[in-house]
Every structure is written in C-alpha cells, then in structure tokens.
Amino acid sequence: MFIITCPYCGDRDQTEFSCGGEAHIERPKQPTELSDDEWAEYLFMRKNIKGVQFERWNHSHGCRKWFNIIRDTSNDKIHAVYKMGEKPPVI
Amino acid sequence: MSKNLRINKNNFIDQTIRISFKFNGQQLFGYKGDTLASALLANNIHLVGRSFKYHRPRGIMTCGSEEPNAIVQVGNDPSLTDPNVRATEIEIYEGLEASSQNCWPSVNFDIGAINNFLSPLLPAGFYYKTFMWPASFWEKYEYFIRHSAGLGKAPTKPDPDIYDHQYSHCDVLVVGGGISGIISARLSAEKGLDTMLIDDKNFLGGSTIYQENEAYKINDIYSNEWLAKEIKSLKNYPNLIIKNRTSLAAFHGYNYLLARENLTDHLSISDRKNKIRQRLWKIRAKKVIIASGSIERPLIFSNNDRPGIILSSSIKKYIDYYGVKTGENISLFTNNDSAYETAISLNKSGVKVNVIVDIRKNSDSLIVKEALDLGLKVLWESTVVETQGYKKIKSFEVMKLSDDGNNVIGNKTKHNCDCLGISGGWTPMVHLFTQSGGKLTFRNEDNVFIPDEDKTPPNQISVGSCNGEFKLDEIVTRTIENLKSFLDLSKTCYDEIKINCPDEKSKRNIWLLPSDKPTGKTKPFLDFQNDSTAKDVKLALREGFKSIEHVKRYTTTGMGTDQGKLSNMHALGIIADTTGTNMGELGTTTFRPPYTPLTFGAIVGRNVGEFFDHTRRTAIHNWHVKNNAEFENVGQWKRPWYFPKNGENMHQAVQRESKAARDSAGILDASTLGKIDIQGTDASEFLNRVYTNAWSKLEIGKCRYGLMLNEDGMVYDDGVTTRLGENHYIMTTTTGGAANVLSKLEDYLQTEWPELDVYLTTVTDQYSTISICGPNSKNIISKIVPSLDLSDSNFPHMSFKNIKISNVNCRIMRISFTGEHSYEINIQSNYAEDLWIKCMEAGKEFHLTPYGTETMHLLRAEKGFIITGQDTDGTLTPSDLQMDWIIGKKKFDFIGKRSLYRSDTIREDRKQLVGLLTDDPKEVLEEGAQLVENINTKPVEMLGHVTSSYFSPNLNKSIALAVVKSGKKLKGKKLIVPMENKNINVTITDTVFYDKENKRLNA
Ligand SMILES: [Zn+2]
C-alpha cells in the first residue's frame, strides 16, 4: 500500500492507481514486418524483476494520466516518477 | 472449585463492582476490570479447553494475545456468537456467557482425548500421510476431522452490529502503551506533533505499571509510580490521541497501518445498543514508533502443557494487577532472573513459593539476592524432567543438569504443587516490524531476533523490549536517545532521568531440556494449540524437511490462531541444535498479518447490504419497477431482465416478449451500453487503428458496426459507432466493457499515439437509449417524430438523424440488434423516462411490448449475433467467430492485426463459433454444456461447449450457439451433448437461424 507521486496531482494513495506492467516496451511501428517470434517478444515477454523495475502506472481514479515509475519491487521503494515520453532519470 | 483466590491488595480491579457471568453453564462472578481468564483463575478454574489433536486438557497459560489454550466461544445468540476469543483478552461484562470450544461432549469428559493415548499413531504430518489417499475418501475423513477439531462455531445469522472505518493521517503513531510507548508518545506530543497512541489493553502502562519493587526505581520512586505520573501527564497534550482496546492488525509499506478499536465488547449487552462495535482505523502515519514489547517464552520439557503450568510473568500479572492467585502452592522453573520478580510478588502477597528450579549455575543480581533474603529455596543447575496431574498439575520431578546441559544426572526429587510458573526468557515482538518489510538480525548472547537497524524501512523505529532492550535503564535511556534523532529533538523532559534496576549477568539457554527418559517416551510440547512436540520437529528433520517454512507446515508448528507467538523460537532452536546450524542463518518464518485476528465485520465496515457495491440504475428504472420488471445485474447496472405479466414465469414472459417484438413491436431500455464521445481531427484515423474494419470512408450521418481486438488478436469488445460530424463520432460499447474500453483507448492515445489529435469523453450516464424494434417500429416512430422522413432513401438502415422531440435535441439511429426494422433514440437522461412513456402511449395501438435482456439475447441469437463475454471468452479471433468479413485486410495496421496470422491463430482446428440444432426441437441445451463426438472411447474428447441456448418462439424450436473445434468445416455433423442422465443429439448448423437474407431489416 504505497504512496505514488502522480506527476500531475501529487502524492496519492496506491488505491487510486492501476499498474500497466513493464514500461518502455514500444509498440512496433510496422508489425507486419515482424516474424512470429519478434511479435511474440513484444506481445508476451515481460521481465517481472525482483528489484528495480521500470513500470507504467495510470492514475485511474484521479487525472487518468499514464506515467512511468521506477520501483524496487522487493521493498516498494519508488526511486523516480516521470511523464510518458520523458527519458527515465538515472538513479 | 468454589475457592476464592482473590486477594485484596491491588489498584487495577474495582472490587466494588461485582460482575456475574457464565462459563460452560456455571454461574460465576468477577470484578470490573477482570478478563475472563483472571476471573476464571480467581474461581480456581484452570481447565478451559482441549488441544486440537490429542484433546489433552489445557489451561490458561498466559495473560495476553499470545494465549494458545484459553480460546473460547462467547455468546449463544446465533447472530452474535463469537468463536476463537482469547479468555486472556476479553473483559468480563454482566451477562457474559462463554464456553470451551475444542471438546465434546464437555471439557471435563472429552471423547477425543482417546487421541492422546493413540498419539504414537499421530506423528508429524499425520493428516498428510493418512488422509490423502484414496482421494475419494477425503469427504469421509473431513467429517471426522471437522467434528473433532476445535475451531469454534461461526454465527449462523447476519451480524446486526455496526462496524466503522476511519482514516487517520497523523504525524506520529505509537504502537504500544508500555513504558517505552508512553515515553515516546510524550516526546512526540511535547514536540507538537499530531500523535496517536494505541494500546490493546483497557489500561496503559504495560508490565511496568504493576512493577512495585524496591529494585526498580526511576527518579527515586518506584517505577510503577513514576509511570503512573507520566500517563497522567499525557492528558495535557491536545495533539495526542490515545486509543485503548485498540490492537494493530497490520503494518504495510509506506507506514500504512490497520488497527482495530474495540468499542463495546466490554460493555453489558444492554449498554451496547445502537453503538458502533468495532472501528477499523486506516492509519497513514508520517512516522511510526513500534513499542510492542516482548513476550515470555515457555520452557520445553516433558508434559509441559498441563493446566496450572503458566508463564511466570503472567502469574506475576495475575497477582499484581488482577489480585488473583493462580495457585496456593506455586513453584517456578526458569532460565533467567525474571521469575524471581514473580517469586517476590507472590511472597509479598502471602502466596507460598515452594521452590525455584533454575537451570543456571547461579545468579548474583539484586533481584535474586532479594528473593534469597526472603528465604526462597532455589534448585540451581536443575531441570524439571516430568510433571503429573491430568486436569491440573499436581507435582513435578527435578533432576540435576550435566555441565554441557545435554543430560540429567543424579537423583530425581518430586515436588508437589498446584501451579508451576515457567520462564524461558523473552522474545521481542517483531511481527509488526517484519510485516512492514524490516529485516531481522540474530543476537547470539540471548538468542533473540531483533530489528536490523540497517534494514529498517524509512520513517519507523522500534523502541523498548521489541527492539531487544530488556533492562529498565536500557529501555528508558535508549528509547529517549533513539527518539532524539528520530524525532529531531534537542532537549527533552527526560534529560535528567535517573534509573535503578538489577543487572542480569548469568545466562543459560537450552531449547529442549533433557530428560531421564528417551525422547520417544516424553511429550515436550512446542505449539500448545496445534499439539506439535519437539519430537515432531525432529521427525520432520529426519524425514528430510530442511526449510523452516516446510517444517512449520509439516508439523503445523506455529500455524494456529496464536501464529506461533510462543512456539516459533523453540522450534527454530531445536532445528538449529539438531542440524548444527546457527539460528541466525536459519531465519524465521514469515509473520503475516493480521497480528491478532480481525472480525469480518471490522474488515467490511459499513460496506454491507446496499452499500456493498455501487448500484447503477438507468433514468427509466422507476418505470421498470412500476411495471413489475425482474432485474438482472450486469456489472453494477440493474437491467430489466423480463417483464412478467399475470403470473408468468420467466420462460413464459420471454416467449411472449420475443414473439411480440417480431410480430409487431418491442421496446428496450438500452441506456447501459457504454457511450464514448470521440472528437478531434484524427478521430477517423484513431478508429481505423482501434477497430478491425475501415472507418475513413464512413459518411457523416452513417453508422457502422466495429469489432475491437486485443493485441493478441482476440475479440475484446464490439458495438456500433456513428459519425456525427467530420471530426466527431459516438462509439457504443458493451455494457460490461464500457469502462475497460475507455481505459484501453486512453492508454493507446497517451502512450503509443500521443501525436493523434483525439479527445475521449464518456457520456454513458448523460444519454439514455431507447430502442424500438419490429415491423411496427416505423409506425410508432412516425407518431413521435412526425416531421422525420422515415423512408429508406432518406433514413436507411445504419444511418442517423438529429431530431427534436418536444424541443429536446435527440439523436436517432436506424440500427438493429434483433434483425428487425429498428430505431434507437439517444436522449438526455433527464427526459428519458418522459420519452419512454410517450413511446409506450404511441405504441399502444401496436401492442408495443417492453422487453428485457433475456429477450434481447434470444432475438439476437436467432440472428446469430454474438455477445462478447458470453459467446466469446478472450480466446476467439474474428475468424473463429466466422466474422472474417469485418477484417480490413488492406489496412496497414490495427490493434491485434499482426496476431491474426500467428502460427497459433491460423490453426484450422481452433474452436470456432457454430450454430446447433437439437434433434428433438423441444430440447433446450444448457449453456456451458460440453460437446463430444464419441461417448464410448475413453477418455472422451471434449470438442467444445454451448455458449448461448434458447427456445425460439419465432422458429418454434430450440436453437443454440457453440464453439467447436474445427467447427467451420463441420456443418451438418452430428454431435452429442452428454448430460447427467441422458445424451442429447445435436447437429452443427449455420449461426444464423432466422431471416438469413436480412429481409426484415427493411420490412
Ligand atoms: Zn493524477
């Protein structure tokens, strides 16, 4: 039950958010040119790290904006929050 | 039995207020402030229950939440009775009725006690080994296990009590009201911080508040007097909230904590009326100070579980706090100094202390000297090897320990007693600390796990004995010192504090005390609730279990309602000794919330009955109620299911409604369908990307059906979208999918295609939708909107018009989910009921029939239209649904396109949607029923299942939709639907049963 600092709204309880899984997996620009394996890589393969992980979160019960966070999944420490399209800060 | 063991010296029990209560039917009395346990002990009742496995007699063993034995059922009322209540925690009230749980027929004569004599046959893992095979016997075993297991009786009627939830956002939360918690609360409040102090007892002060002993002084007065003054001073801080009778249930990350406040459980039944019973506090604290204290460990020796064997510190609390003698001829058995405090207290209260058995060679601390000065007899370097007494301890046997502590030597001496106090040292209560994510470190010198300072989550601190500080001067000075940096304090009111206390230097610990008998002949209990012994742990190790988590589950050590508060350390110690491992490396089992059990009522709070979930009602709901609709829950929506007339059942009503809709006209409240307003210069491009078909060329004023996929190519949602303007669309979604579709579209817009100029707004609640279908729908609409030219040329199928009805702007679409000539009017929700009534009046002459979701499903099934979520389940592609026509093959891309030609999605033997007709046209299939080809070859291959099934009144036969392996190729094939008592023969058909040429759309 952590607190997330929404880049648009500020500190809010975790219950206001929903997690969208691993961040920085860009949808291929030309899916038709990909092999089955390459497409499957995009579609299914996620890291699910124990440790520092880049994640997409949505302030679904708030401003409804998507953004990224860097979270240590082993202790829920959030190292950084940054907007969609921004480069992840170095931690 | 009727002996009164109450003494008159004490400050904490109000002996002027007499309270009567019943235990196992016996009328007893105690005083205001008593717990059930202290009141029972005052009445000389020790035997309170039976153990789970062997049904051995068990007595009150502790005075707190770690109690493993004294677990009772409170009350008889079928809606209020409360199982698994600890007698050591519940305060007595006038009229309390409590009874023992784990015994049948009574606590004094228990049939299950035969297990005690069978115990060689009930070793560790007994349940796993015996009851697993054959699997089919489990039902029979379960009956006996459940009957003899003592888990209490759940209430059988709804709970009438009120429960509450409250949030707190304090600066500092202090957990525990012992001496370190009181000091913490005062320091925090003094600093001006908003502070909350919670304690599970009805009285603050922990064990110091009754520590009236020459050896313990603070600022030259008895430590109990000093603490009482401190507690009084807390009243001066308006920024300090104190919650008594409040126990912490869980400590989650980021200082989010749950605490349960008991508000009425200590009141007489009549005083509880209309009051909130319990409040669940949801606390988000900036800083948390854990001062949860420590609990005394038992000692592990043969038959250490008899009633009358009590933790030494609990004996002290019963005499000093409650004024209750736990016996009249008490002996003590210890490995540390604290039992001597108990001995001194008993001696001062005139209770005979027979002997103190101490496993150490000696101890020269002040407190031991004081005891010796009083003439108490100590048997040094000795251990108890056996006890006697079935329902109550009568005597115990003592032998000398060898130097290494592995054996006993010399002669056995027997001592009579009616109570034996045991003290095995102290275990810091680190449960909350570890729940919050903190890691422990092992301190070898006194065998304790304590919080690792370097692995403590931010903004919390553990103080006092839960942090491994056991000496009074250490507790006080370190608490103050640590809080200075934690709360950023410079000077404090405690800077000049002066403390006197004894210093314990002599230490000795033996996890499993030796006996003169072989281990197999002894019964050294570890987990008193689950009857697991040191033997069981050793057996588990011999059988190859190594991980502490596995040993725990195999032997059930630490798995009871006490969560192993008493037993865990000894289990670990014995594992470490047996395997030659260091306890620190072994680690502990995980301490899971809740720390103490919570009631369901407290968890649920006010979210019961109509507040359990939100209920969404359409703007026309009241009309439906007035017209006898039966309702169906669709997500949070209440939708009319069918409208029974003149005592019709559901089948009769649906048959009538379905026929009326095709014969003349039907009307449906379709307001619950999701509606998303889409605007922006890239709206058409956006739709191209999210739907499988092409949208750029859709003319303004036209509607189109769209299918939405997930990236994996599976059908996700469907609906009709209308182009209202050049850059303006309104999309409809399924009722259940509305919120998820909006989220998904927003996700793509924000993250994958931020360059698109598109704006999404949900307007589901703002617009209501009235759908009128059937051959007379045109006549009815022409009466409501006379100005509108309804000719096919002006207003063809799949088009829309802006209209005015009584000066209200509306949208009317000519779209159909039934296959009939059909219209849908979208109107501002405020006017929806009025328009509905207008439609009903206009439709009177055409017998316009309101219909519900069941008829809607039947009518669309006649046409083979799918319902996503009913005919699809997230594993079907458009091609599986025989909807290849809706794939825009020329489109560059859309969500899920690439997945449509993965090796898996192009397999021809995928499950595909087909129609089914039963050989007997009257036979209606069950939805979910399996389809097979050959019933005789085992195992029978399941080819698919029925997804939708109805009796069609318009075709006068049973119809069904199903998904079947390679179904597309199997038209005309005979299959079997095996049911419990018959096999039903079916034939695979086309999915469209009715009006295959779509003539009725323009009829
Ligand atoms: Zn936000």
Side-chain angles (χ1 to χ4, degrees), chain A residues 13 27 56 64 66 76, chain B residues 254 284 711 746-747 750:
Chain A
D13 201 279
R27 189 174 187 275
R56 287 154 28 90
R64 294 189 69 82
W66 283 91
D76 287 337
Chain B
Y254 286 63
R284 186 73 84 169
E711 286 290 15
E746 286 177 335
D747 187 352
Q750 288 181 37

Side-chain angles (χ1 to χ4, degrees), chain B residues 603-622:
Chain B
I603 295 167
V604 173
R606 307 257 174 162
N607 303 319
V608 289
E610 61 175 319
F611 300 119
F612 179 69
D613 195 8
H614 299 271
T615 302
R616 300 177 77 182
R617 299 178 182 88
T618 73
I620 309 161
H621 186 82
N622 289 342

